[in-house]
Amino acid sequence: MSISGKRGLPRNVVLHLTENCNLRCKMCYFWGETGAYSSSKLGRKPISLELELVKQIVHDLTPSKPFYSLFGGEPLIYPFIEEVICAIKEAGSIIDTPTNGTLLAEHAKMLVRTGFDFVRVSIDGPREITDELRGKGSHDKAFNGIETLHEEKLIAKKKRPYIGILYTVTPKNYLSIEQFFLEDLNLSTISNVSIQMQNFLTDEMGSKYAEMIRSNFGITSDSYWKGFIRSTQDFNDVDTIELAHQVNKVVKHLKKIGKIVILEPPTFSPENLKAYIEARWNDMSDTYGGCLVPWIAVDITAAGDVAPCHAFYDLILGNLYENNIEEIWNGENYQKFRTYMRKNKLMSICPGCCILYLAGKKKRKKE
Protein backbone atom coordinates (compact mmCIF):
# COMPACT_ATOMS: atom_id res chain seq x y z
CA MET A 1 0.00 0.00 0.00
CA SER A 2 1.41 3.36 -1.03
CA ILE A 3 1.93 5.95 1.67
CA SER A 4 2.15 8.90 -0.72
CA GLY A 5 -0.22 10.67 -3.10
CA LYS A 6 -4.00 10.57 -2.93
CA ARG A 7 -5.33 8.12 -0.38
CA GLY A 8 -8.50 6.23 0.27
CA LEU A 9 -10.66 7.20 3.19
CA PRO A 10 -9.54 6.54 6.79
CA ARG A 11 -10.21 3.07 8.22
CA ASN A 12 -10.44 4.18 11.87
CA VAL A 13 -12.38 7.24 12.99
CA VAL A 14 -12.69 8.74 16.47
CA LEU A 15 -15.73 10.98 16.83
CA HIS A 16 -15.13 13.38 19.70
CA LEU A 17 -18.84 13.84 20.21
CA THR A 18 -18.67 16.18 23.17
CA GLU A 19 -16.26 17.97 25.46
CA ASN A 20 -18.78 17.58 28.30
CA CYS A 21 -18.23 15.09 31.08
CA ASN A 22 -20.19 14.28 34.24
CA LEU A 23 -17.00 13.51 36.22
CA ARG A 24 -13.84 15.44 37.04
CA CYS A 25 -11.22 12.70 37.24
CA LYS A 26 -8.06 14.12 38.78
CA MET A 27 -5.66 12.48 36.31
CA CYS A 28 -7.68 13.20 33.14
CA TYR A 29 -5.79 15.10 30.43
CA PHE A 30 -9.05 16.86 29.47
CA TRP A 31 -11.01 17.59 32.67
CA GLY A 32 -8.33 16.80 35.26
CA GLU A 33 -6.48 19.18 37.52
CA THR A 34 -4.13 20.22 34.67
CA GLY A 35 -6.36 19.17 31.76
CA ALA A 36 -7.23 21.10 28.61
CA TYR A 37 -10.86 21.66 29.67
CA SER A 38 -10.33 22.70 33.26
CA SER A 39 -12.33 25.82 34.07
CA SER A 40 -9.26 28.01 34.17
CA LYS A 41 -8.19 26.98 30.66
CA LEU A 42 -11.25 26.38 28.49
CA GLY A 43 -12.56 29.93 28.72
CA ARG A 44 -15.93 28.99 27.19
CA LYS A 45 -18.75 26.49 27.56
CA PRO A 46 -17.96 22.90 26.46
CA ILE A 47 -19.15 22.16 22.93
CA SER A 48 -20.50 19.13 21.05
CA LEU A 49 -20.51 17.97 17.45
CA GLU A 50 -23.68 18.93 15.61
CA LEU A 51 -25.79 15.89 14.78
CA GLU A 52 -26.17 16.84 11.13
CA LEU A 53 -22.40 17.04 10.74
CA VAL A 54 -22.01 13.61 12.34
CA LYS A 55 -24.53 12.17 9.88
CA GLN A 56 -22.70 13.82 6.98
CA ILE A 57 -19.38 12.38 8.14
CA VAL A 58 -20.87 8.89 8.37
CA HIS A 59 -22.42 9.27 4.92
CA ASP A 60 -19.18 10.47 3.37
CA LEU A 61 -17.19 7.63 4.93
CA THR A 62 -19.66 4.85 4.10
CA PRO A 63 -17.56 3.55 1.16
CA SER A 64 -14.67 2.65 3.50
CA LYS A 65 -16.86 1.34 6.38
CA PRO A 66 -14.37 2.52 9.00
CA PHE A 67 -14.22 1.36 12.61
CA TYR A 68 -15.74 4.14 14.73
CA SER A 69 -14.92 5.01 18.32
CA LEU A 70 -17.11 7.50 20.17
CA PHE A 71 -15.13 9.78 22.42
CA GLY A 72 -15.56 12.62 24.90
CA GLY A 73 -15.69 14.00 27.55
CA GLU A 74 -18.17 11.27 28.33
CA PRO A 75 -19.69 10.00 25.05
CA LEU A 76 -22.88 8.71 26.68
CA ILE A 77 -23.73 12.26 27.75
CA TYR A 78 -24.20 13.26 24.09
CA PRO A 79 -27.94 14.01 23.65
CA PHE A 80 -28.24 12.32 20.23
CA ILE A 81 -26.19 9.23 21.05
CA GLU A 82 -28.81 6.74 19.81
CA GLU A 83 -29.20 8.52 16.47
CA VAL A 84 -25.43 8.49 15.97
CA ILE A 85 -25.22 4.78 16.76
CA CYS A 86 -28.07 3.95 14.38
CA ALA A 87 -26.51 5.97 11.56
CA ILE A 88 -23.17 4.21 11.98
CA LYS A 89 -24.70 0.73 12.20
CA GLU A 90 -26.91 1.39 9.15
CA ALA A 91 -23.74 2.34 7.27
CA GLY A 92 -22.32 -1.09 8.05
CA SER A 93 -19.56 -0.10 10.47
CA ILE A 94 -18.36 -1.46 13.79
CA ILE A 95 -18.54 0.94 16.72
CA ASP A 96 -17.09 1.16 20.21
CA THR A 97 -16.73 3.66 23.01
CA PRO A 98 -14.65 4.24 26.10
CA THR A 99 -16.83 5.37 28.99
CA ASN A 100 -16.56 6.07 32.70
CA GLY A 101 -19.48 3.66 33.09
CA THR A 102 -21.63 5.83 35.32
CA LEU A 103 -24.34 6.23 32.65
CA LEU A 104 -24.23 2.66 31.37
CA ALA A 105 -27.23 1.43 33.34
CA GLU A 106 -29.61 3.99 31.87
CA HIS A 107 -28.34 3.34 28.32
CA ALA A 108 -28.05 -0.45 28.60
CA LYS A 109 -31.29 -1.37 26.79
CA MET A 110 -30.51 1.05 23.97
CA LEU A 111 -26.97 -0.23 23.50
CA VAL A 112 -28.22 -3.81 23.20
CA ARG A 113 -31.15 -2.85 20.96
CA THR A 114 -29.02 -0.87 18.51
CA GLY A 115 -26.39 -3.59 18.14
CA PHE A 116 -23.57 -1.55 19.65
CA ASP A 117 -20.36 -3.56 19.37
CA PHE A 118 -17.87 -2.75 22.17
CA VAL A 119 -17.99 -0.83 25.44
CA ARG A 120 -14.74 -0.15 27.31
CA VAL A 121 -15.31 0.90 30.90
CA SER A 122 -12.54 2.94 32.49
CA ILE A 123 -12.14 2.10 36.19
CA ASP A 124 -9.21 2.79 38.50
CA GLY A 125 -9.44 -0.15 40.89
CA PRO A 126 -11.23 -0.76 44.20
CA ARG A 127 -13.99 1.55 45.39
CA GLU A 128 -11.85 3.78 47.62
CA ILE A 129 -9.35 4.49 44.84
CA THR A 130 -11.86 5.02 42.02
CA ASP A 131 -13.98 7.30 44.19
CA GLU A 132 -10.94 9.28 45.27
CA LEU A 133 -9.84 9.87 41.68
CA ARG A 134 -13.25 10.21 40.00
CA GLY A 135 -15.69 11.29 42.68
CA LYS A 136 -17.76 9.56 45.37
CA GLY A 137 -20.13 6.95 44.02
CA SER A 138 -18.45 6.65 40.62
CA HIS A 139 -17.16 3.12 41.34
CA ASP A 140 -20.55 1.68 42.29
CA LYS A 141 -22.30 3.39 39.36
CA ALA A 142 -19.77 1.92 36.94
CA PHE A 143 -20.05 -1.57 38.45
CA ASN A 144 -23.84 -1.32 38.36
CA GLY A 145 -23.63 -0.22 34.74
CA ILE A 146 -21.56 -3.26 33.80
CA GLU A 147 -23.92 -5.65 35.56
CA THR A 148 -27.01 -3.99 34.07
CA LEU A 149 -25.62 -4.12 30.55
CA HIS A 150 -24.65 -7.76 31.03
CA GLU A 151 -28.16 -8.60 32.26
CA GLU A 152 -29.78 -6.81 29.30
CA LYS A 153 -27.66 -8.87 26.93
CA LEU A 154 -28.80 -12.06 28.62
CA ILE A 155 -32.45 -11.01 28.45
CA ALA A 156 -32.14 -10.17 24.74
CA LYS A 157 -29.98 -13.25 24.09
CA LYS A 158 -27.32 -11.06 22.50
CA LYS A 159 -23.53 -11.29 22.71
CA ARG A 160 -23.01 -7.60 22.00
CA PRO A 161 -21.98 -5.13 23.12
CA TYR A 162 -18.87 -6.87 24.38
CA ILE A 163 -17.76 -5.30 27.66
CA GLY A 164 -14.15 -4.48 28.36
CA ILE A 165 -12.21 -2.90 31.19
CA LEU A 166 -9.74 -0.09 30.60
CA TYR A 167 -7.36 0.10 33.57
CA THR A 168 -4.86 2.96 33.52
CA VAL A 169 -1.94 2.34 35.86
CA THR A 170 -1.03 5.32 38.04
CA PRO A 171 0.96 5.77 41.26
CA LYS A 172 -2.39 5.72 43.09
CA ASN A 173 -3.64 2.33 41.92
CA TYR A 174 -0.72 0.16 40.83
CA LEU A 175 -0.75 -1.86 44.08
CA SER A 176 -4.45 -2.74 43.68
CA ILE A 177 -4.37 -4.56 40.34
CA GLU A 178 -4.59 -8.07 41.79
CA GLN A 179 -7.38 -7.13 44.17
CA PHE A 180 -9.40 -5.43 41.46
CA PHE A 181 -9.20 -8.13 38.79
CA LEU A 182 -9.01 -11.25 40.94
CA GLU A 183 -11.35 -10.31 43.80
CA ASP A 184 -13.59 -7.32 43.03
CA LEU A 185 -14.54 -7.68 39.37
CA ASN A 186 -17.15 -10.14 38.10
CA LEU A 187 -15.09 -11.55 35.25
CA SER A 188 -18.05 -13.42 33.77
CA THR A 189 -19.36 -10.07 32.51
CA ILE A 190 -16.10 -9.11 30.81
CA SER A 191 -14.69 -10.16 27.43
CA ASN A 192 -11.48 -8.16 27.26
CA VAL A 193 -9.10 -6.10 29.39
CA SER A 194 -6.67 -3.32 28.55
CA ILE A 195 -4.02 -2.41 31.12
CA GLN A 196 -2.06 0.66 30.13
CA MET A 197 0.50 2.84 31.78
CA GLN A 198 -0.53 6.44 32.29
CA ASN A 199 0.27 8.53 29.21
CA PHE A 200 2.56 11.44 29.93
CA LEU A 201 4.97 13.92 28.41
CA THR A 202 7.98 15.64 29.86
CA ASP A 203 8.38 19.41 29.49
CA GLU A 204 11.13 18.81 26.94
CA MET A 205 8.93 16.56 24.79
CA GLY A 206 6.11 19.08 24.89
CA SER A 207 8.34 22.02 24.02
CA LYS A 208 9.78 20.20 20.98
CA TYR A 209 6.28 19.32 19.82
CA ALA A 210 5.15 22.94 20.23
CA GLU A 211 8.07 24.12 18.09
CA MET A 212 7.30 21.49 15.43
CA ILE A 213 3.65 22.47 14.98
CA ARG A 214 4.57 26.18 15.06
CA SER A 215 7.34 25.96 12.49
CA ASN A 216 5.56 23.54 10.15
CA PHE A 217 1.92 24.56 10.48
CA GLY A 218 1.91 27.99 12.14
CA ILE A 219 -0.01 26.59 15.14
CA THR A 220 0.61 28.06 18.60
CA SER A 221 -2.06 26.17 20.56
CA ASP A 222 -0.75 24.41 23.67
CA SER A 223 -3.93 23.52 25.59
CA TYR A 224 -3.96 19.81 24.82
CA TRP A 225 -0.34 18.75 25.00
CA LYS A 226 0.15 20.62 28.27
CA GLY A 227 -2.58 18.44 29.80
CA PHE A 228 -0.22 15.46 29.42
CA ILE A 229 2.78 17.00 31.16
CA ARG A 230 4.00 15.09 34.20
CA SER A 231 7.27 15.08 36.07
CA THR A 232 9.08 11.75 36.20
CA GLN A 233 9.30 12.44 39.94
CA ASP A 234 5.54 11.81 40.10
CA PHE A 235 6.37 8.13 39.58
CA ASN A 236 9.29 7.88 42.03
CA ASP A 237 7.39 5.71 44.49
CA VAL A 238 6.20 3.16 41.92
CA ASP A 239 7.75 -0.24 42.63
CA THR A 240 8.06 -1.65 39.12
CA ILE A 241 8.95 -5.12 40.42
CA GLU A 242 5.65 -5.33 42.30
CA LEU A 243 3.75 -3.70 39.42
CA ALA A 244 5.10 -6.23 36.92
CA HIS A 245 4.36 -9.09 39.33
CA GLN A 246 0.73 -8.07 39.81
CA VAL A 247 0.04 -7.41 36.13
CA ASN A 248 1.62 -10.62 34.91
CA LYS A 249 -0.25 -12.66 37.53
CA VAL A 250 -3.53 -11.07 36.44
CA VAL A 251 -2.74 -11.55 32.75
CA LYS A 252 -1.95 -15.24 33.27
CA HIS A 253 -5.29 -15.76 35.01
CA LEU A 254 -7.28 -13.77 32.45
CA LYS A 255 -5.81 -15.65 29.51
CA LYS A 256 -6.40 -18.97 31.27
CA ILE A 257 -10.14 -18.24 31.43
CA GLY A 258 -10.27 -17.05 27.82
CA LYS A 259 -10.21 -13.26 28.16
CA ILE A 260 -8.51 -11.02 25.60
CA VAL A 261 -5.75 -8.91 27.19
CA ILE A 262 -3.95 -5.88 25.75
CA LEU A 263 -0.96 -4.37 27.53
CA GLU A 264 0.41 -0.91 26.78
CA PRO A 265 3.38 -1.10 26.61
CA PRO A 266 3.29 -4.77 25.56
CA THR A 267 6.16 -5.79 27.87
CA PHE A 268 5.36 -5.44 31.58
CA SER A 269 8.81 -6.28 32.92
CA PRO A 270 10.33 -4.33 35.84
CA GLU A 271 13.12 -2.99 33.63
CA ASN A 272 10.81 -1.91 30.81
CA LEU A 273 8.36 -0.24 33.18
CA LYS A 274 11.15 1.57 35.01
CA ALA A 275 12.45 2.94 31.70
CA TYR A 276 8.90 4.07 30.85
CA ILE A 277 8.19 5.99 34.06
CA GLU A 278 11.65 7.58 33.94
CA ALA A 279 11.01 8.68 30.32
CA ARG A 280 14.01 6.69 29.12
CA TRP A 281 12.13 5.72 25.98
CA ASN A 282 15.18 4.47 24.07
CA ASP A 283 15.99 2.03 26.88
CA MET A 284 12.64 0.29 26.63
CA SER A 285 12.32 -3.15 25.07
CA ASP A 286 9.20 -1.81 23.32
CA THR A 287 10.62 0.77 20.92
CA TYR A 288 9.10 1.98 17.68
CA GLY A 289 10.39 3.42 14.43
CA GLY A 290 7.20 4.96 13.16
CA CYS A 291 3.43 5.22 13.54
CA LEU A 292 0.77 4.18 11.01
CA VAL A 293 -1.95 6.47 12.38
CA PRO A 294 -1.44 9.35 9.88
CA TRP A 295 -2.24 6.92 7.06
CA ILE A 296 -5.13 4.95 8.56
CA ALA A 297 -6.90 6.90 11.32
CA VAL A 298 -8.32 10.30 12.16
CA ASP A 299 -9.91 12.13 15.08
CA ILE A 300 -12.78 14.55 14.55
CA THR A 301 -13.16 16.95 17.44
CA ALA A 302 -16.30 18.42 18.94
CA ALA A 303 -15.54 21.61 17.00
CA GLY A 304 -15.43 19.73 13.69
CA ASP A 305 -11.65 19.96 13.52
CA VAL A 306 -9.72 17.10 11.95
CA ALA A 307 -6.73 15.98 14.01
CA PRO A 308 -4.12 13.38 13.00
CA CYS A 309 -3.31 12.32 16.58
CA HIS A 310 -5.70 11.01 19.21
CA ALA A 311 -6.32 13.47 22.07
CA PHE A 312 -3.49 15.79 20.94
CA TYR A 313 -5.89 18.29 19.41
CA ASP A 314 -3.49 21.21 19.17
CA LEU A 315 -2.42 20.02 15.71
CA ILE A 316 -5.43 20.54 13.43
CA LEU A 317 -5.28 19.90 9.68
CA GLY A 318 -8.73 21.09 8.60
CA ASN A 319 -12.31 21.70 9.67
CA LEU A 320 -15.40 19.84 8.49
CA TYR A 321 -17.56 22.93 8.56
CA GLU A 322 -15.33 24.23 5.78
CA ASN A 323 -14.30 21.12 3.79
CA ASN A 324 -15.44 17.51 3.62
CA ILE A 325 -13.45 14.65 5.08
CA GLU A 326 -12.01 13.45 1.76
CA GLU A 327 -10.78 16.94 0.87
CA ILE A 328 -9.02 17.26 4.23
CA TRP A 329 -7.70 13.67 4.31
CA ASN A 330 -6.08 14.13 0.90
CA GLY A 331 -5.38 17.83 1.31
CA GLU A 332 -2.17 19.83 1.47
CA ASN A 333 -1.90 19.92 5.27
CA TYR A 334 -2.32 16.16 5.64
CA GLN A 335 0.19 15.49 2.88
CA LYS A 336 2.62 17.84 4.60
CA PHE A 337 2.17 16.05 7.90
CA ARG A 338 2.67 12.62 6.32
CA THR A 339 5.82 13.88 4.63
CA TYR A 340 7.12 15.02 8.01
CA MET A 341 6.31 11.64 9.57
CA ARG A 342 7.93 9.68 6.74
CA LYS A 343 11.09 11.72 7.20
CA ASN A 344 11.19 11.87 11.01
CA LYS A 345 9.36 8.60 11.84
CA LEU A 346 7.97 9.96 15.12
CA MET A 347 7.25 13.25 16.84
CA SER A 348 8.72 14.11 20.23
CA ILE A 349 5.37 13.33 21.91
CA CYS A 350 4.96 9.86 20.40
CA PRO A 351 6.74 7.72 23.05
CA GLY A 352 4.33 9.02 25.71
CA CYS A 353 1.21 7.99 23.77
CA CYS A 354 -0.48 4.61 24.25
CA ILE A 355 -1.69 4.62 20.63
CA LEU A 356 1.92 4.09 19.54
CA TYR A 357 1.81 0.66 21.18
CA LEU A 358 -1.23 -0.23 19.07
CA ALA A 359 -0.29 1.28 15.71
CA GLY A 360 3.48 1.70 15.86
CA LYS A 361 6.07 -0.01 13.71
CA LYS A 362 8.16 -1.87 16.23
CA LYS A 363 11.95 -1.71 16.01
CA ARG A 364 14.24 -4.64 16.57
CA LYS A 365 16.58 -4.09 19.47
CA LYS A 366 20.25 -4.17 18.66
CA GLU A 367 22.15 -6.99 20.29
Side-chain angles (χ1 to χ4, degrees):
M1 181 178 65
S2 171
I3 57 172
S4 62
K6 187 174 181 179
R7 309 211 29 92
L9 296 169
R11 302 199 301 270
N12 294 274
V13 177
V14 174
L15 292 176
H16 183 219
L17 292 178
T18 181
E19 295 174 342
N20 273 303
C21 189
N22 59 326
L23 298 184
R24 293 294 182 266
C25 307
K26 293 180 180 180
M27 67 294 183
C28 178
Y29 43 76
F30 281 170
W31 281 109
E33 294 169 333
T34 61
Y37 301 155
S38 62
S39 58
S40 60
K41 292 184 178 181
L42 193 58
R44 56 170 171 75
K45 291 183 177 180
I47 57 177
S48 299
L49 262 176
E50 293 181 7
L51 178 60
E52 289 309 309
L53 179 58
V54 176
K55 290 182 176 180
Q56 186 64 51
I57 292 165
V58 173
H59 174 270
D60 291 346
L61 291 174
T62 296
S64 67
K65 289 185 169 51
F67 180 99
Y68 285 93
S69 183
L70 307 183
F71 192 54
E74 169 50 50
L76 294 180
I77 225 171
Y78 187 67
F80 311 110
I81 186 71
E82 183 171 356
E83 292 174 75
V84 170
I85 295 168
C86 289
I88 291 173
K89 295 304 295 182
E90 288 170 9
S93 282
I94 294 173
I95 182 172
D96 97 322
T97 189
T99 173
N100 60 41
T102 60
L103 303 177
L104 262 185
E106 65 185 79
H107 288 90
K109 288 182 183 293
M110 180 272 291
L111 291 169
V112 175
R113 182 179 66 251
T114 56
F116 201 86
D117 294 288
F118 301 97
V119 170
R120 293 175 286 138
V121 185
S122 184
I123 309 180
D124 302 304
R127 179 182 292 107
E128 61 272 16
I129 293 177
T130 298
D131 283 3
E132 177 187 351
L133 293 175
R134 295 175 180 262
K136 189 174 181 180
S138 57
H139 175 278
D140 288 354
K141 288 180 181 178
F143 265 51
N144 180 55
I146 291 171
E147 292 292 341
T148 302
L149 181 55
H150 180 66
E151 290 169 5
E152 291 296 337
K153 288 164 55 180
L154 293 176
I155 292 170
K157 298 181 180 179
K158 301 288 186 181
K159 292 184 178 181
R160 300 193 180 202
Y162 296 110
I163 304 172
I165 296 294
L166 179 57
Y167 192 102
T168 300
V169 179
T170 69
K172 284 281 188 180
N173 69 0
Y174 82 95
L175 291 175
S176 302
I177 296 170
E178 275 189 61
Q179 178 188 335
F180 177 73
F181 285 104
L182 303 184
E183 299 177 23
D184 296 356
L185 190 62
N186 179 3
L187 293 175
S188 67
T189 65
I190 303 301
S191 64
N192 61 287
V193 169
S194 293
I195 301 176
Q196 66 178 46
M197 294 298 293
Q198 182 177 9
N199 299 340
F200 76 98
L201 305 179
T202 64
D203 285 315
E204 181 183 8
M205 294 163 71
S207 296
K208 288 182 178 178
Y209 173 70
E211 173 56 26
M212 188 282 287
I213 62 175
R214 185 200 64 78
S215 60
N216 286 276
F217 298 95
I219 293 172
T220 57
S221 172
D222 62 6
S223 298
Y224 290 94
W225 67 259
K226 281 191 173 180
F228 286 84
I229 295 293
R230 299 286 185 276
S231 168
T232 55
Q233 294 179 0
D234 294 346
F235 304 96
N236 280 351
D237 294 334
V238 174
D239 181 344
T240 58
I241 295 175
E242 178 61 20
L243 170 57
H245 168 75
Q246 291 208 16
V247 169
N248 288 309
K249 182 177 179 179
V250 166
V251 169
K252 183 178 180 180
H253 177 74
L254 291 173
K255 288 185 175 180
K256 183 178 180 180
I257 61 175
K259 308 301 179 182
I260 298 169
V261 182
I262 298 174
L263 299 180
E264 302 167 24
T267 307
F268 262 67
S269 68
E271 299 79 16
N272 202 45
L273 295 172
K274 189 167 182 61
Y276 181 92
I277 63 177
E278 292 178 355
R280 293 185 288 107
W281 316 110
N282 291 330
D283 293 335
M284 292 179 65
S285 55
D286 302 308
T287 58
Y288 294 80
C291 182
L292 294 174
V293 166
W295 290 273
I296 63 173
V298 69
D299 273 49
I300 297 167
T301 78
D305 291 324
V306 177
C309 293
H310 180 56
F312 288 93
Y313 296 159
D314 295 303
L315 177 55
I316 296 301
L317 301 180
N319 185 276
L320 289 167
Y321 290 105
E322 300 171 4
N323 300 96
N324 66 42
I325 185 64
E326 185 174 9
E327 290 171 337
I328 296 171
W329 183 248
N330 290 304
E332 182 179 349
N333 282 340
Y334 242 109
Q335 298 293 9
K336 187 176 182 180
F337 180 65
R338 293 186 185 115
T339 297
Y340 175 90
M341 292 297 285
R342 278 196 299 270
K343 178 181 178 181
N344 296 280
K345 307 303 180 186
L346 297 172
M347 295 178 288
S348 63
I349 61 171
C350 291
C353 173
C354 65
I355 299 298
L356 181 62
Y357 301 119
L358 300 176
K361 292 183 277 189
K362 200 161 185 177
K363 292 170 66 176
R364 292 183 178 180
K365 293 290 283 184
K366 293 180 180 179
E367 297 296 334

